[in-house]
């Protein structure tokens, strides 16, 4: 299958695109976009990949589902479009960033600036029906994004994987801890942020690791 995605990703992911499950997933997603309001907009489904080529990835931040309300999702996990109010989890991310590194809470929740520096902002499921959280789970996206994590673990060295919350932490089994740094904590959701997300210092730990491995730190 010929998928419109950044060329370096296309090369490493072509075996996935040729699998039967991906054809079935594509049929499902196309049908959903025809019949329902689905987020993110179709051209932004692979925005995380198009914004951060395979060999540029330094950090992988894993989310679960795109935001499912209007104007929020644009293909980068936890990120929202310019001018959109911060969802609670994103606000807590900015609070931890401020406490950890002293970075002021930004005026926009658009995390494209992170992606351009090598942060792959990857949701496990890349699409969602409007107002229905989790509506596209179990359709094949998770198999695809698990393959992405596995390929990064196998073909790259010295990456940082930020796994926030129980769902993300289960993905640790796909990652070689001898080759990469795996950071785990509670999720930044208001339901769990005070149970170990606040004070996790993941932004400092990430940059310290990148510097130690001869890479430019992220300007969060």
């Amino acid at each position: 299958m010929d998928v419109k995605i950044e060329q370096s990703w296309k090369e490493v992911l072509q075996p996935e695109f040729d699998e039967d499950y991906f054809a079935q997933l594509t049929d499902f997603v196309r049908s959903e976009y025809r019949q329902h309001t689905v987020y993110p907009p179709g051209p932004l489904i692979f925005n995380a990949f198009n914004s951060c080529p395979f060999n540029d990835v330094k950090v992988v931040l894993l989310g679960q589902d795109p935001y499912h309300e209007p104007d929020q999702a644009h293909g980068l996990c936890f990120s929202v479009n310019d001018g959109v109010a911060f969802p609670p989890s994103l606000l807590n991310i900015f609070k931890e960033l401020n406490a950890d590194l002293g970075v002021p809470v930004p005026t926009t929740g658009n995390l494209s600036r992170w992606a351009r520096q090598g942060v792959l902002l990857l949701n496990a499921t890349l699409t969602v029906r409007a107002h229905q959280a989790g509506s596209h789970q179990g359709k094949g996206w998770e198999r695809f994004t698990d393959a992405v994590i596995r390929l990064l673990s196998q073909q790259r060295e010295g990456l940082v994987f930020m796994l926030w919350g129980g769902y993300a932490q289960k993905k640790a089994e796909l990652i070689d801890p001898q080759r990469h740094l795996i950071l785990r904590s509670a999720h930044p959701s208001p339901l769990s942020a005070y149970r170990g997300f606040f004070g996790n210092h993941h932004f400092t730990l990430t940059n310290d690791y990148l510097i130690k491995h001869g890479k430019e730190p992220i300007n969060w």
Side-chain angles (χ1 to χ4, degrees):
M1 180 179 293
D2 184 22
V3 176
K4 293 179 180 175
I5 192 171
E6 192 275 333
Q7 186 60 34
S8 65
W9 283 107
K10 187 169 189 171
E11 291 170 6
V12 297
L13 289 171
Q14 193 59 52
E16 295 301 311
F17 298 146
D18 292 337
E19 290 276 351
D20 288 344
Y21 87 87
F22 198 86
Q24 294 165 7
L25 170 62
T26 300
D27 289 344
F28 165 76
V29 170
R30 284 176 175 157
S31 173
E32 286 286 291
Y33 274 90
R34 280 195 303 268
Q35 299 178 52
H36 306 279
T37 299
V38 176
Y39 301 124
L44 296 178
I45 291 173
F46 294 115
N47 192 22
F49 303 91
N50 296 335
S51 301
C52 187
F54 182 78
N55 288 317
D56 292 350
V57 175
K58 295 190 281 190
V59 180
V60 181
L61 177 54
L62 190 68
Q64 188 165 357
D65 244 20
Y67 296 121
H68 55 267
E69 296 301 327
D71 301 320
Q72 293 181 316
H74 65 130
L76 306 177
C77 76
F78 293 109
S79 179
V80 292
N81 283 302
D82 293 321
V84 176
F86 300 164
S89 291
L90 181 58
L91 181 58
N92 284 340
I93 290 169
F94 290 150
K95 286 179 179 177
E96 171 59 22
L97 184 54
N98 176 256
D100 188 12
L101 290 174
V103 175
V105 174
T107 56
T108 177
N110 189 328
L111 302 180
S112 296
R113 62 190 182 278
W114 293 5
R116 289 191 295 268
Q117 297 179 74
V119 183
L120 181 67
L121 296 161
L122 181 66
N123 276 315
T125 302
L126 298 188
T127 55
V128 67
R129 195 184 291 184
H131 317 303
Q132 296 185 39
S135 49
H136 286 186
Q137 292 177 6
K139 304 297 184 181
W141 278 131
E142 295 92 339
R143 179 171 170 182
F144 172 71
T145 52
D146 280 0
V148 170
I149 296 167
R150 202 177 287 111
L151 282 163
L152 285 166
S153 175
Q154 293 169 352
Q155 297 188 22
R156 298 291 313 282
E157 291 272 359
L159 304 184
V160 181
F161 289 83
M162 303 170 90
L163 307 181
W164 296 341
Y167 181 87
Q169 288 176 34
K170 291 175 184 174
K171 305 297 183 179
E173 66 187 28
L174 306 171
I175 304 162
D176 183 348
Q178 305 303 316
R179 296 164 66 99
H180 307 285
L181 176 64
I182 303 173
L183 297 177
R184 302 172 175 87
S185 82
H187 194 275
S189 157
L191 297 172
S192 57
Y194 287 96
R195 298 204 298 266
F197 177 77
F198 289 134
N200 67 16
H201 299 290
H202 279 188
F203 301 103
T204 290
L205 292 168
T206 294
N207 279 352
D208 287 350
Y209 183 85
L210 293 175
I211 292 168
K212 181 180 173 183
H213 286 78
K215 300 178 183 180
E216 279 288 317
I218 306 299
N219 180 10
W220 302 103

